[in-house]
C-alpha cells in the first residue's frame, strides 16, 4: 500500500493539451496514479486515441475536444466533464506553442497567437474551472511554466514573456483563491526532449549548450515530470500553493558545472 494522500483514485482530472508531449505524459501518469483523466486538445483523432489509452489503463475518460483560445469551448469542456463525472478536482494546463526568431523580426500576429494560447488560454481555463472548484471548496490547478519563466532563452521572447506571465498568474491566483480550498501551482520543466523541440536540440549548438548547463548532463524525459504532477494534484499538497516546482536536472541551481 502506498502513501494514501498521494492516491488519486476517484479524482477527476482534466488535462488541456493532453494529447502530445508533456500533456500526454502527464495524462498517462495521472491515470496510472489512479485518476480518471479527460485528455483534451484541438484534434479530435488525437483526443479519441488518448482517451482510449486512459480507458485501457483501467480508468474512466471522455473524448471532448477543446480550444483554449475560445471561452465557449472551455465552458463546454467543463459542462461535458461534469455531466460525465459530477465535478472536476484537478486541472492541468499544458496547451502551448512557441516560435524561435529574433525579436526584431518577430511578427506581431505570431506574438499575439503565442500569448493567446500560452497565457490567455491558461487564464481562461483557470477562471472557468477555478470558479467550479471554488464553489466546491476543493481544487488543484497545475500550470506549466518554463525555464524561460525565470531566465532568458535566446530568440524565444514571445514564449518566454508568455511563460513569465504564467508564473505570475499562478502566484496571483494562488493567493486570491488560497482560502477557497483551491491550490494553484506550476511545474517548471527543464530541457525535456519532445517532438515540439527535437529539431532545436538534436545535434545543434543550442542542444549542446543546454547539456553543458544541465548538471545531470542529459535531457529530461517527459515521464520525469509525472511524480511532481501527481504530488501537486494530490491531497499531500494541501498546504502547497503559489509554488513553481522545478524539474530540471539542476540547471537553475547551477553556476559552474566543471
Amino acid at each position: 500500500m502506498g502513501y494514501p494522500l498521494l492516491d488519486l483514485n476517484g479524482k477527476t482530472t482534466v488535462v488541456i493539451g493532453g494529447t502530445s508531449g508533456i500533456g500526454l505524459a502527464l495524462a498517462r501518469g495521472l491515470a496510472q496514479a489512479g485518476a480518471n483523466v479527460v485528455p483534451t486538445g484541438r484534434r479530435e483523432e488525437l483526443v479519441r486515441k488518448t482517451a482510449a489509452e486512459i480507458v485501457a489503463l483501467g480508468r474512466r475518460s471522455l473524448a471532448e475536444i477543446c480550444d483554449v483560445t475560445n471561452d465557449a469551448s472551455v465552458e463546454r469542456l467543463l459542462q461535458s466533464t461534469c455531466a460525465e463525472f459530477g465535478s472536476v478536482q484537478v486541472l492541468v494546463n499544458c496547451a502551448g506553442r512557441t516560435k524561435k526568431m529574433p525579436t526584431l523580426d518577430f511578427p506581431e500576429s505570431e506574438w499575439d497567437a503565442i500569448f493567446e494560447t500560452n497565457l490567455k488560454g491558461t487564464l481562461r481555463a483557470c477562471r472557468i474551472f477555478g470558479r467550479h472548484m471554488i464553489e466546491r471548496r476543493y481544487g488543484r490547478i497545475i500550470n506549466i511554466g518554463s525555464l524561460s519563466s525565470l531566465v532568458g532563452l535566446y530568440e524565444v521572447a514571445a514564449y518566454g514573456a508568455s511563460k513569465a506571465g504564467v508564473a505570475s498568474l499562478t502566484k496571483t491566483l494562488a493567493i486570491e483563491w488560497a482560502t477557497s480550498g483551491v491550490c494553484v501551482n506550476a511545474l517548471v520543466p527543464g530541457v525535456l526532449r519532445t517532438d515540439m523541440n527535437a529539431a532545436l536540440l538534436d545535434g545543434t549548438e543550442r542542444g549542446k549548450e543546454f547539456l553543458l548547463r544541465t548538471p545531470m548532463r542529459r535531457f529530461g524525459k517527459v515521464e520525469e515530470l509525472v511524480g511532481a504532477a501527481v504530488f501537486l494534484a494530490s491531497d499531500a499538497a494541501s498546504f502547497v500553493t503559489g509554488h513553481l516546482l522545478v524539474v530540471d536536472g539542476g540547471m537553475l541551481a547551477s553556476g559552474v558545472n566543471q
Side-chain angles (χ1 to χ4, degrees), residues 36-239:
N36 296 319
V37 178
V38 178
T40 183
R42 289 174 304 174
R43 287 170 292 181
E44 188 172 6
E45 70 281 8
L46 288 183
V47 172
R48 289 190 179 287
K49 179 172 174 281
T50 311
E53 244 188 88
I54 303 302
V55 171
L57 289 169
R59 309 293 168 210
R60 291 171 61 204
S61 189
L62 178 68
E64 179 78 33
I65 59 169
C66 178
D67 176 358
V68 289
T69 66
N70 180 303
D71 273 310
S73 178
V74 181
E75 287 278 7
R76 254 194 320 276
L77 173 65
L78 173 62
Q79 298 313 326
S80 303
T81 307
C82 288
E84 180 70 27
F85 294 97
S87 62
V88 179
Q89 284 75 46
V90 183
L91 169 69
V92 187
N93 279 312
C94 291
R97 57 189 292 175
T98 188
K99 186 179 182 68
K100 178 179 180 289
M101 183 186 272
T103 304
L104 291 179
D105 303 334
F106 211 94
E108 197 171 331
S109 60
E110 292 266 8
W111 181 283
D112 290 345
I114 286 170
F115 266 73
E116 192 60 48
T117 295
N118 296 4
L119 182 54
K120 282 189 73 182
T122 297
L123 170 67
R124 263 186 205 97
C126 283
R127 284 187 1 173
I128 289 167
F129 282 82
R131 181 173 279 119
H132 166 83
M133 290 171 174
I134 288 164
E135 282 166 5
R136 281 152 191 79
R137 301 201 62 74
Y138 182 93
R140 298 282 184 270
I141 295 176
I142 303 170
N143 295 326
I144 304 293
S146 159
L147 291 173
S148 65
S149 296
L150 302 163
V151 294
L153 301 185
Y154 188 71
E155 289 187 346
V156 287
Y159 182 76
S162 73
K163 289 296 191 177
V166 168
S168 179
L169 178 66
T170 299
K171 293 175 183 181
T172 306
L173 294 180
I175 62 171
E176 282 190 32
W177 299 348
T179 57
S180 306
V182 179
C183 299
V184 188
N185 296 289
L187 289 173
V188 177
V191 189
L192 309 182
R193 199 182 161 286
T194 65
D195 293 340
M196 186 162 112
N197 66 13
L200 288 176
L201 298 180
D202 293 349
T204 64
E205 290 306 308
R206 191 184 185 91
K208 284 182 211 149
E209 185 179 350
F210 273 133
L211 288 176
L212 184 70
R213 286 171 170 268
T214 302
M216 286 191 184
R217 287 284 188 271
R218 64 178 178 83
F219 299 133
K221 299 192 277 288
V222 286
E223 293 72 28
E224 290 179 296
L225 275 179
V226 170
V230 168
F231 167 65
L232 291 178
S234 77
D235 289 341
S238 55
F239 201 55

